[in-house]
Amino acid sequence: MTKTESVHGIWASRWVFIFAATGSAVGLGNIWKFPYIAGENGGGVFVLVYLACLALVGLPLLVAEVMIGRRARQSPANAIRALSIETAASPFWRHVGALGVVAGFLILSFYSVVAGWVLHYITVTSQGALVDIGQDQATRLFNQLLASPQTLFLWHSLFLILVMAIVAGGVVHGLERATRLLMPVLFALLLVLLGFSVASPSFGQAWNFLFVFDWSSFTWQGGLTALGHAFFTLSLGMGAIMAYGAYMPNKASIGSAAVMIALLDTLVALIAGLIIFPVVFASQMSPDAGPGLMFITLPVALGQIPGGQILGVMFFILVSLAALSSAISLMEPAVAWMIERMGIGRIKASLMVTSLAWLVGIGALASFNVLNDLQLFGLNIFNLLDFLTANLMLPLSGVLVAVFVGWKVHRYISEDELAFSNHRLFKVWYLLIRFVVPAAIGVIFYQNL
Ligand code: TRP
């Protein structure tokens, strides 16, 4: 029952699909999170474990998600439903997609708050506020931002409006056009910044930090962080990639597209590390600053080097573009689902999803200031949303997708849809998706509880 059309549209070519999916994968996870968790976990070994997790868990799941999407050519929730009906699986499986829709919408609400910080830092940096700034001042600047609900509200709203404008435009006129515009700029900025960092005297130190392995710095905790991040960085577990797969042209090979997406995503994360660490090392700062690495350490470091202001503005523009192309993939599954389910238009659906994410996001941003004391299970709203989605919902829906594809969907459907030219590759993928992926995710899940 392979379909060639989706009611939402089809990407013009397989390259558009690859770049749209790469745009989804490359985001705050690569530029903000990856360098700081690599820094906290000692560099080299962490990077090695992370690469192994990407290959053994992330890649097979990426293939599975694209496959489900393209087979059914509907929003993730309805795609899983359609496939479970096709394979006569139990009605339980029909609800798995709904979990993803809810997760995506919750991630969007706090992702937009962090993206708002980035937008704020574009203006702060361009006004020269970071020139010669010290650690204390930089910390104060960041805390001031968090303490101001008005400022956070402004940027959060602006970011969501941008995302909505793109998603409301539809697959071809919104998502595809944004991809064609954003991705080349993103890669160009990335290469310019990489050029500066390669020329920096501290480049060698950064290189060694990321690529020289020292097994003594390995910890299981770091291993688990690496596994969880492999998941987050490839946008797996909530249907973002599944939704994009639904718009993929029929003849394009899923396997090679998935390899390309994973490679590009990894490359960007490594380059982000190679951009951030030389700056950090050049000013003798520590690589293990945690989440503040991008908002506190980096501004301090940039403030001390020549040309730091321009580099800083370019850097924060880069991050905001990456966040934008990821956020549209967080909104698309819910919007596509509402269009199919309620029979409403795309503009109306985008408006509804945006409004809801906007409201939840207001709760998230207020948890840094006015709602500081509101705690549930010892977490404020922002941290609760993060924990609930990244640590619980994504792994849960990931494991369900792997079990569904590996054990419920008839093998011939996967073989037919994937159409690997080499049958041995199919066998390897099938083995990974049936055994390795569920086992590995089971471990993170267990550890996080
Ligand atoms: N992958 C993106 C990043 O690295 C974030 C993201 C977009 C995401 N869509 C997702 C994460 C879906 C999990 C699920 O920033």
Side-chain angles (χ1 to χ4, degrees), residues 114-169:
V114 180
W117 302 349
V118 179
L119 293 180
H120 178 73
Y121 267 73
I122 298 179
T123 64
V124 172
T125 314
S126 61
Q127 287 159 359
L130 303 182
V131 177
D132 278 334
I133 197 172
Q135 175 97 41
D136 291 346
Q137 279 167 294
T139 310
R140 204 172 326 126
L141 201 70
F142 188 53
N143 288 338
Q144 257 170 17
L145 169 64
L146 295 187
S148 163
Q150 294 88 344
T151 316
L152 293 176
F153 174 80
L154 192 87
W155 292 119
H156 161 63
S157 310
L158 184 71
F159 184 77
L160 270 183
I161 289 171
L162 284 174
V163 179
M164 178 180 79
I166 296 174
V167 175

Short mmCIF file of all heavy atoms in Angstrom, two decimals, residues 114-169:
data_model
loop_
_atom_site.label_atom_id
_atom_site.label_comp_id
_atom_site.label_asym_id
_atom_site.label_seq_id
_atom_site.Cartn_x
_atom_site.Cartn_y
_atom_site.Cartn_z
N VAL A 114 14.49 28.88 25.45
CA VAL A 114 15.95 28.91 25.31
C VAL A 114 16.35 29.61 24.01
O VAL A 114 17.29 30.41 23.98
CB VAL A 114 16.56 27.48 25.36
CG1 VAL A 114 18.07 27.52 25.21
CG2 VAL A 114 16.18 26.78 26.65
N ALA A 115 15.60 29.34 22.94
CA ALA A 115 15.87 30.03 21.68
C ALA A 115 15.73 31.54 21.87
O ALA A 115 16.47 32.34 21.27
CB ALA A 115 14.93 29.55 20.58
N GLY A 116 14.79 31.94 22.73
CA GLY A 116 14.62 33.35 23.05
C GLY A 116 15.87 33.94 23.70
O GLY A 116 16.25 35.08 23.41
N TRP A 117 16.53 33.18 24.57
CA TRP A 117 17.79 33.65 25.17
C TRP A 117 18.80 33.96 24.07
O TRP A 117 19.52 34.95 24.11
CB TRP A 117 18.43 32.60 26.09
CG TRP A 117 17.59 32.13 27.24
CD1 TRP A 117 16.41 32.68 27.67
CD2 TRP A 117 17.86 31.00 28.07
NE1 TRP A 117 15.93 31.95 28.74
CE2 TRP A 117 16.80 30.92 29.00
CE3 TRP A 117 18.88 30.06 28.14
CZ2 TRP A 117 16.74 29.93 29.98
CZ3 TRP A 117 18.83 29.08 29.11
CH2 TRP A 117 17.77 29.01 30.02
N VAL A 118 18.82 33.05 23.08
CA VAL A 118 19.79 33.21 21.99
C VAL A 118 19.50 34.51 21.22
O VAL A 118 20.41 35.28 20.92
CB VAL A 118 19.76 31.99 21.04
CG1 VAL A 118 20.75 32.18 19.90
CG2 VAL A 118 20.07 30.72 21.79
N LEU A 119 18.21 34.75 20.92
CA LEU A 119 17.85 35.99 20.21
C LEU A 119 18.28 37.20 21.03
O LEU A 119 18.82 38.17 20.51
CB LEU A 119 16.33 36.04 19.97
CG LEU A 119 15.74 35.00 19.01
CD1 LEU A 119 14.24 35.19 18.87
CD2 LEU A 119 16.41 35.10 17.64
N HIS A 120 18.04 37.13 22.34
CA HIS A 120 18.44 38.23 23.22
C HIS A 120 19.96 38.46 23.14
O HIS A 120 20.42 39.59 23.08
CB HIS A 120 18.03 37.90 24.65
CG HIS A 120 18.44 38.92 25.66
ND1 HIS A 120 17.81 40.15 25.74
CD2 HIS A 120 19.41 38.93 26.60
CE1 HIS A 120 18.38 40.86 26.71
NE2 HIS A 120 19.35 40.14 27.25
N TYR A 121 20.71 37.36 23.09
CA TYR A 121 22.17 37.49 23.04
C TYR A 121 22.67 38.05 21.71
O TYR A 121 23.76 38.61 21.65
CB TYR A 121 22.86 36.16 23.40
CG TYR A 121 23.16 36.10 24.88
CD1 TYR A 121 22.14 35.93 25.80
CD2 TYR A 121 24.46 36.30 25.37
CE1 TYR A 121 22.40 35.92 27.16
CE2 TYR A 121 24.72 36.29 26.73
CZ TYR A 121 23.69 36.11 27.62
OH TYR A 121 23.95 36.12 28.97
N ILE A 122 21.86 37.90 20.64
CA ILE A 122 22.27 38.55 19.38
C ILE A 122 22.28 40.06 19.60
O ILE A 122 23.24 40.75 19.25
CB ILE A 122 21.30 38.22 18.22
CG1 ILE A 122 21.30 36.73 17.93
CG2 ILE A 122 21.72 38.99 16.95
CD1 ILE A 122 20.33 36.34 16.80
N THR A 123 21.21 40.58 20.23
CA THR A 123 21.14 42.03 20.41
C THR A 123 22.19 42.50 21.42
O THR A 123 22.87 43.49 21.19
CB THR A 123 19.75 42.49 20.88
OG1 THR A 123 19.48 41.94 22.17
CG2 THR A 123 18.65 42.06 19.94
N VAL A 124 22.33 41.75 22.53
CA VAL A 124 23.31 42.15 23.55
C VAL A 124 24.72 42.20 22.95
O VAL A 124 25.47 43.16 23.16
CB VAL A 124 23.28 41.16 24.73
CG1 VAL A 124 24.41 41.43 25.69
CG2 VAL A 124 21.95 41.24 25.45
N THR A 125 25.06 41.16 22.19
CA THR A 125 26.39 41.10 21.62
C THR A 125 26.61 42.22 20.60
O THR A 125 27.67 42.85 20.58
CB THR A 125 26.63 39.74 20.92
OG1 THR A 125 26.16 38.71 21.78
CG2 THR A 125 28.10 39.51 20.64
N SER A 126 25.59 42.47 19.78
CA SER A 126 25.80 43.48 18.74
C SER A 126 25.89 44.88 19.34
O SER A 126 26.48 45.78 18.75
CB SER A 126 24.71 43.40 17.68
OG SER A 126 23.46 43.65 18.27
N GLN A 127 25.32 45.06 20.55
CA GLN A 127 25.45 46.37 21.20
C GLN A 127 26.79 46.53 21.92
O GLN A 127 27.03 47.54 22.57
CB GLN A 127 24.31 46.58 22.20
CG GLN A 127 22.97 46.84 21.51
CD GLN A 127 21.80 46.54 22.44
OE1 GLN A 127 21.99 46.12 23.57
NE2 GLN A 127 20.59 46.75 21.94
N GLY A 128 27.61 45.49 21.86
CA GLY A 128 28.93 45.60 22.47
C GLY A 128 28.96 45.36 23.96
O GLY A 128 29.95 45.66 24.63
N ALA A 129 27.88 44.80 24.51
CA ALA A 129 27.81 44.62 25.96
C ALA A 129 28.81 43.58 26.48
O ALA A 129 29.04 43.47 27.67
CB ALA A 129 26.40 44.23 26.38
N LEU A 130 29.39 42.79 25.56
CA LEU A 130 30.28 41.73 26.02
C LEU A 130 31.76 42.10 25.94
O LEU A 130 32.61 41.33 26.37
CB LEU A 130 30.04 40.45 25.22
CG LEU A 130 28.62 39.90 25.21
CD1 LEU A 130 28.56 38.62 24.41
CD2 LEU A 130 28.11 39.65 26.62
N VAL A 131 32.04 43.29 25.40
CA VAL A 131 33.44 43.66 25.24
C VAL A 131 34.12 43.79 26.60
O VAL A 131 33.61 44.45 27.50
CB VAL A 131 33.56 45.00 24.46
CG1 VAL A 131 35.02 45.43 24.34
CG2 VAL A 131 32.94 44.85 23.08
N ASP A 132 35.23 43.03 26.77
CA ASP A 132 35.99 43.06 28.02
C ASP A 132 35.19 42.69 29.25
O ASP A 132 35.47 43.15 30.35
CB ASP A 132 36.58 44.47 28.25
CG ASP A 132 37.86 44.63 27.47
OD1 ASP A 132 38.51 43.60 27.20
OD2 ASP A 132 38.20 45.78 27.12
N ILE A 133 34.21 41.86 29.07
CA ILE A 133 33.36 41.49 30.20
C ILE A 133 34.07 40.42 31.04
O ILE A 133 34.78 39.57 30.52
CB ILE A 133 32.00 40.99 29.65
CG1 ILE A 133 30.93 40.98 30.73
CG2 ILE A 133 32.14 39.62 29.04
CD1 ILE A 133 29.57 40.68 30.15
N GLY A 134 33.90 40.48 32.36
CA GLY A 134 34.51 39.47 33.24
C GLY A 134 33.50 38.39 33.59
O GLY A 134 32.32 38.50 33.26
N GLN A 135 33.98 37.35 34.23
CA GLN A 135 33.12 36.22 34.60
C GLN A 135 31.92 36.67 35.45
O GLN A 135 30.79 36.25 35.22
CB GLN A 135 33.95 35.19 35.37
CG GLN A 135 33.17 34.04 35.93
CD GLN A 135 33.26 32.83 35.01
OE1 GLN A 135 34.31 32.52 34.45
NE2 GLN A 135 32.15 32.14 34.83
N ASP A 136 32.18 37.55 36.43
CA ASP A 136 31.09 37.99 37.31
C ASP A 136 30.05 38.77 36.55
O ASP A 136 28.84 38.57 36.72
CB ASP A 136 31.64 38.89 38.43
CG ASP A 136 32.48 38.09 39.39
OD1 ASP A 136 32.40 36.84 39.34
OD2 ASP A 136 33.21 38.70 40.19
N GLN A 137 30.55 39.68 35.68
CA GLN A 137 29.60 40.49 34.91
C GLN A 137 28.78 39.62 33.97
O GLN A 137 27.58 39.85 33.80
CB GLN A 137 30.37 41.50 34.04
CG GLN A 137 30.82 42.74 34.77
CD GLN A 137 31.82 43.45 33.88
OE1 GLN A 137 32.92 42.93 33.64
NE2 GLN A 137 31.44 44.60 33.37
N ALA A 138 29.45 38.64 33.34
CA ALA A 138 28.75 37.77 32.40
C ALA A 138 27.68 36.96 33.12
O ALA A 138 26.57 36.78 32.61
CB ALA A 138 29.72 36.84 31.70
N THR A 139 28.02 36.49 34.31
CA THR A 139 27.04 35.74 35.09
C THR A 139 25.87 36.64 35.45
O THR A 139 24.71 36.25 35.37
CB THR A 139 27.69 35.21 36.39
OG1 THR A 139 28.90 34.55 36.03
CG2 THR A 139 26.78 34.25 37.11
N ARG A 140 26.20 37.89 35.84
CA ARG A 140 25.14 38.83 36.21
C ARG A 140 24.22 39.11 35.02
O ARG A 140 23.01 39.16 35.14
CB ARG A 140 25.75 40.13 36.75
CG ARG A 140 24.78 40.86 37.66
CD ARG A 140 25.41 42.07 38.38
NE ARG A 140 26.80 41.88 38.75
CZ ARG A 140 27.77 42.74 38.41
NH1 ARG A 140 27.49 43.81 37.68
NH2 ARG A 140 29.01 42.53 38.79
N LEU A 141 24.85 39.28 33.85
CA LEU A 141 24.08 39.57 32.64
C LEU A 141 23.08 38.44 32.35
O LEU A 141 21.91 38.67 32.02
CB LEU A 141 25.05 39.70 31.47
CG LEU A 141 24.56 40.46 30.25
CD1 LEU A 141 24.41 41.93 30.56
CD2 LEU A 141 25.53 40.25 29.09
N PHE A 142 23.56 37.20 32.48
CA PHE A 142 22.70 36.05 32.21
C PHE A 142 21.59 35.96 33.26
O PHE A 142 20.42 35.74 32.93
CB PHE A 142 23.55 34.77 32.19
CG PHE A 142 22.79 33.54 31.75
CD1 PHE A 142 22.08 33.53 30.56
CD2 PHE A 142 22.80 32.39 32.53
CE1 PHE A 142 21.39 32.40 30.15
CE2 PHE A 142 22.11 31.25 32.12
CZ PHE A 142 21.41 31.26 30.94
N ASN A 143 21.95 36.16 34.52
CA ASN A 143 20.94 36.09 35.58
C ASN A 143 19.91 37.20 35.47
O ASN A 143 18.74 37.01 35.80
CB ASN A 143 21.60 36.11 36.96
CG ASN A 143 22.31 34.80 37.24
OD1 ASN A 143 21.97 33.77 36.64
ND2 ASN A 143 23.30 34.83 38.12
N GLN A 144 20.38 38.36 35.01
CA GLN A 144 19.44 39.48 34.81
C GLN A 144 18.38 39.11 33.78
O GLN A 144 17.21 39.42 33.94
CB GLN A 144 20.19 40.70 34.28
CG GLN A 144 20.46 41.76 35.32
CD GLN A 144 21.42 42.81 34.77
OE1 GLN A 144 21.63 42.90 33.55
NE2 GLN A 144 22.02 43.58 35.66
N LEU A 145 18.83 38.45 32.73
CA LEU A 145 17.89 38.02 31.69
C LEU A 145 16.86 37.07 32.29
O LEU A 145 15.65 37.22 32.08
CB LEU A 145 18.66 37.34 30.54
CG LEU A 145 17.80 36.61 29.50
CD1 LEU A 145 16.90 37.58 28.75
CD2 LEU A 145 18.66 35.84 28.52
N LEU A 146 17.35 36.08 33.05
CA LEU A 146 16.43 35.09 33.63
C LEU A 146 15.46 35.74 34.61
O LEU A 146 14.34 35.27 34.78
CB LEU A 146 17.21 33.98 34.34
CG LEU A 146 18.09 33.09 33.47
CD1 LEU A 146 18.64 31.94 34.29
CD2 LEU A 146 17.32 32.54 32.28
N ALA A 147 15.90 36.83 35.25
CA ALA A 147 15.07 37.47 36.27
C ALA A 147 14.00 38.37 35.67
O ALA A 147 13.12 38.84 36.39
CB ALA A 147 15.95 38.27 37.23
N SER A 148 14.08 38.60 34.36
CA SER A 148 13.12 39.53 33.77
C SER A 148 12.05 38.82 32.94
O SER A 148 12.27 38.46 31.78
CB SER A 148 13.87 40.53 32.87
OG SER A 148 12.96 41.16 32.01
N PRO A 149 10.87 38.58 33.54
CA PRO A 149 9.83 37.88 32.79
C PRO A 149 9.44 38.62 31.52
O PRO A 149 9.13 37.98 30.50
CB PRO A 149 8.65 37.80 33.77
CG PRO A 149 8.99 38.63 34.94
CD PRO A 149 10.45 38.94 34.90
N GLN A 150 9.47 39.96 31.56
CA GLN A 150 9.08 40.72 30.36
C GLN A 150 9.99 40.42 29.18
O GLN A 150 9.53 40.14 28.07
CB GLN A 150 9.13 42.24 30.61
CG GLN A 150 8.13 42.77 31.62
CD GLN A 150 8.67 42.72 33.05
OE1 GLN A 150 9.67 42.03 33.32
NE2 GLN A 150 8.02 43.43 33.96
N THR A 151 11.31 40.47 29.44
CA THR A 151 12.26 40.23 28.35
C THR A 151 12.11 38.80 27.82
O THR A 151 12.07 38.58 26.61
CB THR A 151 13.71 40.44 28.85
OG1 THR A 151 13.75 41.63 29.63
CG2 THR A 151 14.68 40.54 27.71
N LEU A 152 12.03 37.85 28.74
CA LEU A 152 11.90 36.45 28.31
C LEU A 152 10.63 36.26 27.50
O LEU A 152 10.61 35.57 26.48
CB LEU A 152 11.86 35.53 29.54
CG LEU A 152 13.14 35.44 30.36
CD1 LEU A 152 12.92 34.58 31.59
CD2 LEU A 152 14.28 34.87 29.54
N PHE A 153 9.57 36.90 27.97
CA PHE A 153 8.26 36.80 27.32
C PHE A 153 8.33 37.33 25.89
O PHE A 153 7.84 36.71 24.93
CB PHE A 153 7.24 37.58 28.14
CG PHE A 153 5.88 37.67 27.50
CD1 PHE A 153 4.99 36.60 27.60
CD2 PHE A 153 5.50 38.80 26.80
CE1 PHE A 153 3.74 36.67 27.01
CE2 PHE A 153 4.24 38.87 26.21
CZ PHE A 153 3.37 37.81 26.31
N LEU A 154 8.97 38.46 25.75
CA LEU A 154 9.10 39.10 24.45
C LEU A 154 9.79 38.17 23.43
O LEU A 154 9.29 37.92 22.33
CB LEU A 154 9.91 40.37 24.61
CG LEU A 154 9.90 41.30 23.42
CD1 LEU A 154 8.70 42.22 23.52
CD2 LEU A 154 11.19 42.11 23.35
N TRP A 155 10.95 37.64 23.82
CA TRP A 155 11.73 36.82 22.89
C TRP A 155 11.07 35.47 22.63
O TRP A 155 11.09 34.96 21.51
CB TRP A 155 13.16 36.62 23.41
CG TRP A 155 13.97 37.88 23.41
CD1 TRP A 155 14.52 38.49 24.49
CD2 TRP A 155 14.31 38.69 22.28
NE1 TRP A 155 15.18 39.62 24.11
CE2 TRP A 155 15.08 39.77 22.76
CE3 TRP A 155 14.06 38.61 20.91
CZ2 TRP A 155 15.59 40.76 21.93
CZ3 TRP A 155 14.56 39.59 20.07
CH2 TRP A 155 15.31 40.66 20.58
N HIS A 156 10.50 34.90 23.67
CA HIS A 156 9.77 33.62 23.53
C HIS A 156 8.63 33.80 22.52
O HIS A 156 8.45 32.99 21.61
CB HIS A 156 9.25 33.20 24.91
CG HIS A 156 8.14 32.20 24.90
ND1 HIS A 156 8.28 30.92 24.42
CD2 HIS A 156 6.86 32.28 25.34
CE1 HIS A 156 7.13 30.26 24.56
NE2 HIS A 156 6.25 31.07 25.11
N SER A 157 7.87 34.89 22.66
CA SER A 157 6.74 35.14 21.76
C SER A 157 7.22 35.35 20.33
O SER A 157 6.68 34.78 19.38
CB SER A 157 5.94 36.37 22.19
OG SER A 157 5.62 36.29 23.56
N LEU A 158 8.28 36.15 20.19
CA LEU A 158 8.80 36.44 18.87
C LEU A 158 9.26 35.16 18.16
O LEU A 158 8.96 34.92 16.99
CB LEU A 158 9.97 37.43 18.97
CG LEU A 158 10.53 37.87 17.63
CD1 LEU A 158 9.55 38.77 16.90
CD2 LEU A 158 11.87 38.60 17.80
N PHE A 159 9.96 34.32 18.91
CA PHE A 159 10.47 33.08 18.32
C PHE A 159 9.32 32.19 17.85
O PHE A 159 9.33 31.68 16.73
CB PHE A 159 11.37 32.33 19.31
CG PHE A 159 12.00 31.09 18.73
CD1 PHE A 159 13.08 31.17 17.87
CD2 PHE A 159 11.48 29.83 19.01
CE1 PHE A 159 13.65 30.03 17.31
CE2 PHE A 159 12.03 28.68 18.46
CZ PHE A 159 13.12 28.79 17.62
N LEU A 160 8.31 32.04 18.70
CA LEU A 160 7.18 31.18 18.33
C LEU A 160 6.42 31.73 17.12
O LEU A 160 5.92 30.97 16.29
CB LEU A 160 6.23 30.99 19.50
CG LEU A 160 6.54 29.80 20.41
CD1 LEU A 160 5.48 29.67 21.50
CD2 LEU A 160 6.62 28.49 19.62
N ILE A 161 6.32 33.05 17.03
CA ILE A 161 5.64 33.65 15.87
C ILE A 161 6.40 33.31 14.58
O ILE A 161 5.82 32.97 13.56
CB ILE A 161 5.50 35.18 16.05
CG1 ILE A 161 4.46 35.46 17.15
CG2 ILE A 161 5.06 35.85 14.75
CD1 ILE A 161 4.37 36.91 17.57
N LEU A 162 7.74 33.37 14.66
CA LEU A 162 8.55 33.00 13.49
C LEU A 162 8.30 31.54 13.08
O LEU A 162 8.12 31.23 11.91
CB LEU A 162 10.05 33.16 13.81
CG LEU A 162 10.61 34.58 13.82
CD1 LEU A 162 12.05 34.57 14.29
CD2 LEU A 162 10.53 35.16 12.40
N VAL A 163 8.30 30.66 14.09
CA VAL A 163 8.08 29.24 13.81
C VAL A 163 6.70 29.04 13.19
O VAL A 163 6.55 28.34 12.18
CB VAL A 163 8.19 28.41 15.11
CG1 VAL A 163 7.93 26.94 14.83
CG2 VAL A 163 9.56 28.58 15.74
N MET A 164 5.71 29.71 13.76
CA MET A 164 4.34 29.57 13.27
C MET A 164 4.23 30.05 11.82
O MET A 164 3.59 29.40 10.99
CB MET A 164 3.39 30.37 14.15
CG MET A 164 1.95 30.31 13.67
SD MET A 164 0.86 31.25 14.73
CE MET A 164 1.18 32.90 14.15
N ALA A 165 4.88 31.18 11.53
CA ALA A 165 4.79 31.73 10.18
C ALA A 165 5.31 30.71 9.16
O ALA A 165 4.75 30.58 8.07
CB ALA A 165 5.59 33.02 10.09
N ILE A 166 6.36 29.99 9.52
CA ILE A 166 6.93 29.01 8.59
C ILE A 166 6.02 27.80 8.45
O ILE A 166 5.69 27.37 7.33
CB ILE A 166 8.34 28.57 9.05
CG1 ILE A 166 9.29 29.76 9.01
CG2 ILE A 166 8.85 27.44 8.17
CD1 ILE A 166 10.67 29.47 9.59
N VAL A 167 5.58 27.25 9.59
CA VAL A 167 4.76 26.04 9.54
C VAL A 167 3.42 26.31 8.86
O VAL A 167 2.91 25.49 8.10
CB VAL A 167 4.57 25.45 10.95
CG1 VAL A 167 3.62 24.26 10.92
CG2 VAL A 167 5.92 25.04 11.54
N ALA A 168 2.86 27.50 9.10
CA ALA A 168 1.57 27.84 8.49
C ALA A 168 1.68 27.91 6.97
O ALA A 168 0.70 27.70 6.26
CB ALA A 168 1.06 29.17 9.04
N GLY A 169 2.89 28.17 6.47
CA GLY A 169 3.09 28.25 5.03
C GLY A 169 2.99 26.90 4.32
O GLY A 169 2.94 26.84 3.09
#
